Amino acid sequence: HLLPHHPIIDASQKAYLLRTLAAQNNIPLDQVLAIGDGANDLLMMKEAGLGVAVNAKSRVQLEAPTRLNSSTLLDILYILGFTREEQEALLAD
């Protein structure tokens, strides 16, 4: 559902919002996960403790700290160290 009254967020604004949300919630940036798929996500991904390009274009995958090509975002849990059994337990709750 497209909402025309929402502004387009550029790369610097995304990075700013990431820092702001982390600060407002007392979360150190090295504990923040940022996921993106476009060039305008690179700054945000580089500021986060873990930045992951998911199913991104080649340039983004090459420049991102981490990349994932997958049919499911559940694989992010694997990157974070969750075993398949732990993932299943999380999904069961």
Side-chain angles (χ1 to χ4, degrees):
H1 180 276
L2 297 176
L3 301 172
H5 59 280
H6 287 295
I8 295 172
I9 310 267
D10 65 9
S12 61
Q13 183 69 5
K14 285 185 176 190
Y16 168 77
L17 290 169
L18 177 98
R19 289 189 307 272
T20 301
L21 287 170
Q24 288 174 345
N25 291 284
N26 298 313
I27 301 170
L29 281 175
D30 66 351
Q31 295 295 308
V32 172
L33 168 67
I35 299 172
D37 65 354
N40 66 339
D41 297 317
L42 283 168
L43 283 175
M44 171 184 69
M45 288 189 281
K46 289 177 181 178
E47 292 221 13
L50 177 59
V52 183
V54 177
N55 299 327
K57 295 196 185 315
S58 296
R59 174 184 164 224
V60 177
Q61 289 192 37
L62 290 171
E63 292 186 34
T66 306
R67 67 178 177 260
L68 173 67
N69 292 298
S70 174
S71 60
T72 174
L73 287 176
L74 290 174
D75 288 337
I76 295 289
L77 295 174
Y78 180 78
I79 291 173
L80 294 174
F82 287 83
T83 65
R84 184 68 56 201
E85 294 77 22
E86 290 169 329
Q87 291 179 38
E88 290 170 2
L90 284 171
L91 293 171
D93 289 342

